[in-house]
Amino acid sequence: MRWRWRGVPLDLLLAASGVGLDLLVSSGGAGLRVTVLLHALLAGLPLGFLRRHPAPVALYLSALLVYTDQVDSLTSNTAQILLCLAVGMTAYRMCWRWTLTVVGASWIATAINIADPGIAFTSSAWMYSAGIGVFPALIGGYLRRPAARLEERSITPDVLLAAGGAADAVLSTWTSWHTADLPVWVVGILAVGGGLSLGVVRRVPGAVFLLQGTLLVVADTFMPSVVNTCMILTLIAIGVFAMRVASWMWTGLIYFAGCALAALAVVEPDVTTTPARAIVLMALVATPIAIGRYLGARQAAQAAERLRARESARLAVSQVRADQLAERERIAREVHDIVAHHVGAMVLRAGAARYAAPDGPAADALNDIRLTGHQVLEDLRGLLAVLRDPERDPDLPADPGALVREAAERMTTAGLVVELDVAPGAEHAPLVARASAARIVQEGLTNVLKHAGPGTAVAVTVLPLSTPAACPSRCATAARSPPASRCPPPGRA
């Protein structure tokens, strides 16, 4: 597969953090020997390939765990921690076959690591060796689901951080609780509380850092064997603080405080401080800050990209809306300039001819043309107003019944034989329904006059919608001339 440079800084930071973690766990007060540095490189550098090839890295760390356990190297502790991370990443990125293979390999390697020569392997040890691989696999599988994408307001990452912190604090320190100068129950509460505090580290990173620093000082005083675990939790709090807090001033203060805590926890009183050890210590604290800053920048860039996408979508919708309104305005202007002009000219000429012509049928026809033209112009103005402002409520007639009677009278004058029957209950229908029925009656009578011609008998019946025998409104007008009634049977409209 072709190498892609995107994300390489994160891979380098992961490798550096792995090396720094092993130097923290393995060096102790023995100094920085060549063997310790070599084992740190063997354990940490493969993390640079973890995002792209998690399953091979997990299998490699399983083998490294067995090897370091056989040579009695403290790097086995680092390999055990990194193996959990690799198992979770495998479950997140790979298929279930690879996940089962990696979980099985981690189970075997963990069992070999915790087994002591000459001591029987207990059921608790089997459960511990199985759980230390299954738990990160469950977390990785859960995060793999599309529904598990972490939201800013979601508590899922907080729950996972709390569970992971508590599991790490308990599983890595419980064997040393009885060796502390404090009661076992006090040590247990401190361990569980320190791990669970990671559940709120995204919300209050500064407070969690202070808590972890306090627990680190307490552990260094009363239980030195668990100092490394407390240091790991403190480094996690530092990384989250750098990711969530944008201020470089506060990040610098946290960095120097972390260096002081790391020096207190890692450097023994009888160890001579050398420039090399100081550089390793400072790099160890700088690694989670660099990772946190990188992830924070990535999150900020993604949030900005999502904001730009939403803004672009909103602008696109607004532009489409503006184009639609402009098109409706153009149509309204053309209708007004063409149709309204010709209808107005027709009404004006009909009015002039009405006053010039003698009384009689011709004068009545011209008067009807003038009145109808005026009504058309009023309707056209309402239509143009709706075209220009789609959100405006259409102007409804105050008395739709009068429109029905007027349409019947006009068609009677034009030559139709109209029989109008308006039921009393129809007047109580909603205004919108009565206005629609009036328009349908007008259109129906016009169609009868156009297609059947003068002399056709027409029956118009307006009934409430609740009447079972009522004809639907779209069939309210029917010609009595052949063919038979155009109104469908009740219930089929």
Side-chain angles (χ1 to χ4, degrees):
M1 184 179 69
R2 187 180 64 175
W3 179 266
R4 293 179 298 177
W5 287 99
R6 184 179 180 182
V8 170
L10 181 58
D11 297 330
L12 296 177
L13 289 174
L14 285 173
S17 63
V19 174
L21 176 64
D22 188 67
L23 291 176
L24 169 67
V25 173
S26 304
S27 61
L32 190 62
R33 301 192 304 269
V34 177
T35 305
V36 174
L37 180 60
L38 178 60
H39 285 174
L41 294 176
L42 290 176
L45 290 182
L47 289 188
F49 303 95
L50 181 61
R51 293 192 313 120
R52 306 174 192 277
H53 311 287
V57 171
L59 295 176
Y60 166 80
L61 290 175
S62 300
L64 181 65
L65 177 59
V66 175
Y67 164 73
T68 52
D69 178 72
Q70 297 301 313
V71 299
D72 199 20
S73 172
L74 294 177
T75 303
S76 60
N77 299 322
T78 305
Q80 184 71 77
I81 297 173
L82 298 182
L83 179 58
C84 296
L85 178 63
V87 171
M89 184 62 71
T90 301
Y92 177 73
R93 288 188 174 270
M94 306 295 289
C95 63
W96 64 270
R97 294 184 180 85
W98 274 111
T99 302
L100 291 179
T101 302
V102 167
V103 169
S106 67
W107 189 357
I108 296 174
T110 303
I112 295 175
N113 181 40
I114 65 177
D116 294 327
I119 300 178
F121 208 70
T122 62
S123 58
S124 299
W126 279 113
M127 292 180 61
Y128 173 79
S129 59
I132 205 170
V134 171
F135 183 74
L138 292 177
I139 294 178
Y142 174 79
L143 294 177
R144 184 175 182 173
R145 300 183 305 155
R149 301 300 179 188
L150 304 182
E151 300 286 341
E152 181 67 22
R153 298 181 179 178
S154 174
I155 64 171
T156 302
D158 301 324
V159 173
L160 294 177
L161 282 171
D168 177 68
V170 172
L171 294 178
S172 60
T173 62
W174 69 274
T175 56
S176 304
W177 289 359
H178 63 283
T179 62
D181 297 335
L182 300 173
V184 174
W185 63 272
V186 174
V187 179
I189 291 177
L190 292 177
V192 174
L196 291 178
S197 65
L198 294 184
V200 295
V201 69
R202 296 195 316 142
R203 315 292 177 178
V204 284
V208 174
F209 171 75
L210 292 177
L211 174 63
Q212 297 297 341
T214 303
L215 292 178
L216 179 60
V217 174
V218 172
D220 183 69
T221 304
F222 297 100
M223 197 166 52
S225 58
V226 301
V227 166
N228 289 337
T229 300
C230 294
M231 189 65 209
I232 291 173
L233 296 180
T234 303
L235 292 177
I236 293 175
I238 291 174
V240 176
F241 185 94
M243 181 178 67
R244 304 290 293 180
V245 179
S247 173
W248 280 105
M249 181 188 70
W250 283 106
T251 304
L253 292 177
I254 290 294
Y255 171 71
F256 289 115
C259 290
L261 291 173
L264 176 66
V266 176
V267 180
E268 298 293 340
D270 56 346
V271 175
T272 303
T273 302
T274 62
R277 291 172 180 168
I279 291 175
V280 170
L281 186 66
M282 296 175 66
L284 176 67
V285 181
T287 298
I289 290 181
I291 295 176
R293 277 290 174 176
Y294 176 80
L295 295 178
R298 287 285 300 273
Q299 287 185 353
Q302 292 174 357
E305 184 64 26
R306 289 193 296 268
L307 181 61
R308 284 194 296 269
R310 288 195 297 266
E311 186 67 18
S312 299
R314 188 186 65 82
L315 292 177
V317 172
S318 301
Q319 184 63 39
V320 171
R321 179 68 173 169
D323 294 341
Q324 291 176 346
L325 292 177
E327 180 66 16
R328 296 171 74 100
E329 178 68 23
R330 185 187 63 81
I331 294 174
R333 186 169 55 252
E334 291 183 357
V335 169
H336 179 271
D337 293 342
I338 298 175
V339 179
H341 171 72
H342 291 294
V343 172
M346 179 186 67
V347 171
L348 182 62
R349 291 169 183 170
R354 165 67 183 84
Y355 290 109
D359 295 336
D364 294 339
L366 291 173
N367 187 55
D368 183 70
I369 291 174
R370 183 177 63 82
L371 295 177
T372 303
H374 280 299
Q375 183 62 41
V376 169
L377 288 176
E378 290 295 329
D379 295 341
L380 188 58
R381 291 190 185 97
L383 174 62
L384 295 180
V386 173
L387 279 175
R388 291 191 175 98
D389 187 6
E391 298 181 358
R392 174 184 174 182
D393 295 332
D395 296 329
L396 299 178
D399 187 6
L403 290 181
V404 174
R405 291 188 291 271
E406 180 184 351
E409 295 173 358
R410 187 184 305 112
M411 291 298 116
T412 300
T413 304
L416 293 180
V417 181
V418 181
E419 179 183 347
L420 178 62
D421 182 14
V422 180
E427 298 296 332
H428 302 291
L431 180 60
V432 176
R434 287 186 286 134
S436 300
R439 299 301 184 189
I440 293 173
V441 170
Q442 289 178 330
E443 180 68 19
L445 291 176
T446 303
N447 290 336
V448 172
L449 180 62
K450 178 180 179 182
H451 298 288
T456 305
V458 183
V460 178
T461 303
V462 181
L463 296 174
L465 294 177
S466 58
T467 303
C471 246
S473 60
R474 65 185 179 90
C475 300
T477 303
R480 287 182 177 174
S481 59
S485 175
R486 300 171 188 153
C487 188
R492 294 185 58 186

